[in-house]
């Protein structure tokens, strides 16, 4: 169970701005609650993975406060503090959340600190061994407490390309005269030295599970991340998330198609499965809801939701489910930008307005991609606030909670929730575990449009996975005889010899 940051935080970036790494924020409870959670998880043979946010901390963290009081003193060296160019920022990098990565140190005209994300998230200086040791100390402290590992937030950012310099301005039309932050990272070398040191000093002695969140890495480096001697157990596979993305901004993004999805997944697995295990996701706290994002509008229903579930569970890799995904939660409705909390979405909204779009259109554009879609309260039942709270939730509940909620789905064998349980059971079933966890993923019938088909070949068994990713029936001629049907998300299965007549969005796992 991976828990997003619950440490003490002013919540400028929903907890990804930590002001005390050793405290639980009162919003979530107390350290005693945390201890109880760890103990109860242990009893159930479950494991807790916490978020490790150490590229940056919060501007409210004691280290940063001290650094601002005395930028040239000991704590100044915990951060990247640099002179500017006659009052202008030292370099031309744009932060991930818009605007310059440099912010003036209060009280100085030409002194700046670096923040790759929001200005309230100053980057920690990993070149300073004292900072690294502080971080390792904190990791060991949590592992001593009994958690089992960490999800490493934005971890590729810890290594900067030194000395800092300007990069060519983006050719896009954000029109701010800056370059995207990733360019600097592409020039940075040596992140693996930091990561191996962290593994040696903090993770390895506890056999901790580690999963990295990283973009902007070179594919040749995969071995160093998740190979036998890699620094992590796994990293998230974001390949399908990048489909349709545009450096210009959200207004320019394209909707995903089944064919592109297939191409990207197959290409990624072909390489990655030879090296290690990446983690499969359809959504997380930084993405819109997967069912709304990947499926065509008007075709988001329980059958198509189950198809997406089936695919992510059957692809080679480690499946991660995000809260609410198991009941097929969908994107929410934002009535105005005031309904949005997320700084990233607000930046994209402003960018869209700047480019001349009207307010309504801008809201529509950001509504499709906002990560706040995934951050609305969990839909437990049909009572007020979806049974999440009797207080005022920090984001409005998705209005569809009366139809989509856990209580309703628990009662139905054909619900999305029941299908998720079925897929999880299958992955744990002693007969199929070996082939599903370790079997090679081999594409088949690649030319059939809007069909995603592949084998999973294990030591003893071969499974054939078929997903009809469109709202139309499709006849598929198989190359072999079907032994038995293991999973079917539809009410029936029509077979004629070796030909399957697939229903819209039908998903099948067959033993062949
Ligand atoms: C990661 C987190 C995201 C956060 C960012 C900065 O990408 O998943 O939620 O905004 O890092 O910490």
């Amino acid at each position: 169970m991976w828990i997003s940051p619950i440490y003490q935080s002013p919540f400028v970036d929903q907890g990804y701005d930590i002001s005390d790494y050793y405290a639980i924020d009162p919003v979530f409870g107390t350290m005693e609650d945390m201890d109880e959670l760890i103990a109860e998880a242990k009893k159930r043979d479950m494991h807790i993975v916490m978020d490790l946010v150490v590229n940056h901390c919060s501007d409210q963290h004691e280290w940063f406060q001290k650094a601002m009081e005395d930028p040239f003193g000991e704590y100044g060296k915990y951060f990247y503090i640099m002179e500017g160019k006659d009052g202008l920022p030292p370099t031309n990098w744009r932060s991930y959340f818009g605007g310059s990565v440099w912010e003036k140190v209060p009280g100085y005209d030409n002194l700046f600190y670096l923040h790759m994300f929001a200005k309230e998230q100053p980057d920690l200086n990993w070149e300073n061994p004292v900072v690294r040791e502080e971080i390792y100390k904190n990791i060991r402290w949590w592992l001593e407490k009994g958690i089992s590992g960490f999800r490493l937030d934005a971890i590729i950012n810890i290594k900067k390309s030194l000395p800092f310099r300007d990069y060519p301005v983006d050719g896009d039309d954000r029109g701010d005269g800056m370059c995207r932050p990733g360019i600097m990272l592409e020039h940075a070398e040596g992140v693996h030295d930091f990561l191996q040191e962290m593994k040696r000093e903090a993770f390895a002695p506890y056999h901790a599970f580690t999963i990295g969140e990283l973009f902007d890495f070179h594919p040749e480096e995969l071995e160093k991340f998740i190979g036998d001697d890699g620094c992590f157990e796994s990293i998230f596979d974001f390949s399908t998330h990048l489909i349709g993305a545009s450096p210009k901004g959200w207004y320019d993004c394209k909707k995903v198609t089944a064919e592109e999805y297939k191409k990207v997944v197959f290409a990624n697995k072909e390489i990655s499965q030879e090296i290690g295990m990446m983690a499969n996701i359809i959504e997380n706290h930084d993405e819109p809801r997967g069912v709304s994002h990947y499926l065509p509008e008007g075709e988001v229903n329980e059958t198509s939701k189950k198809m997406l579930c089936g695919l992510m569970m059957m692809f080679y890799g480690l499946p991660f489910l995000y809260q609410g995904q198991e009941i097929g939660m969908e994107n929410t409705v934002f009535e105005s930008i005031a309904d949005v909390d997320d700084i990233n979405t607000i930046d994209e909204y402003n960018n869209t307005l700047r480019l001349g779009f009207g307010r309504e259109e801008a809201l529509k554009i950001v509504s499709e991609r906002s990560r706040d879609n995934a951050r609305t309260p969990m839909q437990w039942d049909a009572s007020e606030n979806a049974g999440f709270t009797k207080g005022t939730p920090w984001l409005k509940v998705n209005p569809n909670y009366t139809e989509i909620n856990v209580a309703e789905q628990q009662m139905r064998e054909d619900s999305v929730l029941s299908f998720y349980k079925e897929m999880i059971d299958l992955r744990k079933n002693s007969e199929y575990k070996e082939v599903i966890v370790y079997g090679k993923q081999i594409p088949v019938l690649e030319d059939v449009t809007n069909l995603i088909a592949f084998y999973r070949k294990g030591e003893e068994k071969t499974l054939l996975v078929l997903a009809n990713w469109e709202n139309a029936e499709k006849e598929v001629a198989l190359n072999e005889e079907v032994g038995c049907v293991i999973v079917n998300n539809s009410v029936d299965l029509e077979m004629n010899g070796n030909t399957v007549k697939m229903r819209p969005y039908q998903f099948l796992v067959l033993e062949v």
Side-chain angles (χ1 to χ4, degrees), residues 108-391:
Y108 292 81
D109 287 337
N110 196 33
L111 203 58
F112 294 79
Y113 69 85
L114 177 77
H115 59 90
M116 297 297 282
F117 294 86
K119 67 177 186 333
E120 295 86 353
Q121 295 169 298
D123 279 49
L124 286 163
N125 180 2
W126 273 71
E127 303 295 334
N128 180 352
V130 182
V131 170
R132 299 207 300 276
E133 187 42 41
E134 281 287 355
I135 292 168
Y136 306 154
K137 194 176 95 191
N138 179 255
I139 295 173
R140 291 189 291 255
W141 188 83
W142 278 104
L143 291 169
E144 280 293 334
K145 242 184 186 310
I147 68 158
S148 300
F150 288 95
R151 174 254 186 200
L152 293 100
D153 182 71
I155 199 68
I156 200 87
N157 288 274
I158 63 174
K159 183 71 198 187
K160 322 292 188 219
S161 176
L162 296 167
F164 291 163
R165 64 175 178 89
D166 283 343
Y167 294 95
V169 173
D170 281 346
D172 69 37
D173 53 4
R174 281 183 195 256
D176 57 7
M178 296 187 226
C179 67
R180 61 183 173 84
I183 303 187
M184 179 276 288
L185 297 177
E186 282 163 20
H187 289 80
E189 272 170 34
V191 72
H192 297 282
D193 298 337
F194 287 160
L195 295 176
Q196 285 294 347
E197 181 185 88
M198 175 158 57
K199 179 177 172 183
R200 211 168 47 239
E201 297 291 322
F203 297 131
Y206 296 87
H207 306 287
F209 170 80
T210 49
I211 173 145
E213 184 219 22
L214 35 128
F215 297 91
D216 296 304
F217 64 91
H218 310 286
E220 322 76 80
E221 285 179 297
L222 204 52
E223 177 83 45
K224 288 189 176 173
F225 287 115
I226 56 168
D228 287 344
D229 299 318
C231 40
F232 306 130
E233 312 296 318
S234 186
I235 61 175
F236 290 105
D237 178 358
F238 289 120
S239 51
T240 59
H241 293 246
L242 301 174
I243 299 174
S246 163
K248 293 182 181 178
W250 290 357
Y251 73 92
D252 193 46
C253 293
K254 307 272 174 310
K255 186 87 186 163
V256 179
T257 66
E259 282 299 293
E260 276 171 297
Y261 190 95
K262 170 162 81 179
K263 205 171 82 203
V264 165
V265 169
F266 286 172
N268 179 284
K269 294 300 177 198
E270 189 183 337
I271 300 170
S272 65
Q273 66 182 341
E274 300 301 331
I275 298 171
M277 217 173 258
M278 291 180 86
N280 300 336
I281 55 170
I282 69 161
E283 66 199 27
N284 64 25
H285 67 292
D286 287 333
E287 305 285 337
R289 286 290 177 180
V291 293
S292 305
H293 180 68
Y294 288 111
L295 298 167
E297 215 177 324
E299 295 174 23
V300 181
N301 53 47
E302 290 212 319
T303 310
S304 56
K305 288 177 183 181
K306 290 175 192 169
M307 179 203 74
L308 273 188
C309 159
L311 282 173
M312 77 159 283
M313 293 289 217
M314 289 304 295
F315 287 141
Y316 183 93
L318 187 62
F320 265 69
L321 312 188
Y322 174 71
Q323 61 152 29
Q325 179 185 332
E326 72 278 33
I327 55 169
M329 277 176 68
E330 298 171 6
N331 277 356
T332 193
V333 183
F334 300 109
E335 269 152 25
S336 86
I337 196 69
D339 284 349
V340 173
D341 170 87
D342 170 37
I343 35 177
N344 192 18
T345 308
I346 293 168
D347 172 55
E348 288 289 346
Y349 178 78
N350 291 334
N351 182 41
T352 313
L353 288 183
R354 219 172 13 245
L355 292 164
F357 289 85
R359 282 177 188 280
E360 213 170 297
E361 213 172 337
L363 186 66
K364 189 171 173 286
I365 289 166
V366 298
S367 292
E368 278 173 27
R369 303 193 85 89
S370 173
R371 50 186 187 168
D372 272 0
N373 280 303
R375 296 175 172 197
T376 60
M378 179 69 192
Q379 292 164 210
W380 294 109
D381 58 37
S383 71
E384 199 187 347
N385 289 330
F388 181 81
T389 178
K390 292 202 167 60

Side-chain angles (χ1 to χ4, degrees), residues 21 29 42 54 75 77 88 96 100 123-124 164 186 235 277 335 349 411 425 435 475:
Y21 290 91
K42 263 215 169 92
V54 288
Y75 286 95
K77 297 188 183 62
L88 294 173
Y96 290 105
S100 169
D123 279 49
L124 286 163
F164 291 163
E186 282 163 20
I235 61 175
M277 217 173 258
E335 269 152 25
Y349 178 78
M411 322 243 286
D425 282 347
V435 56
E475 291 208 350

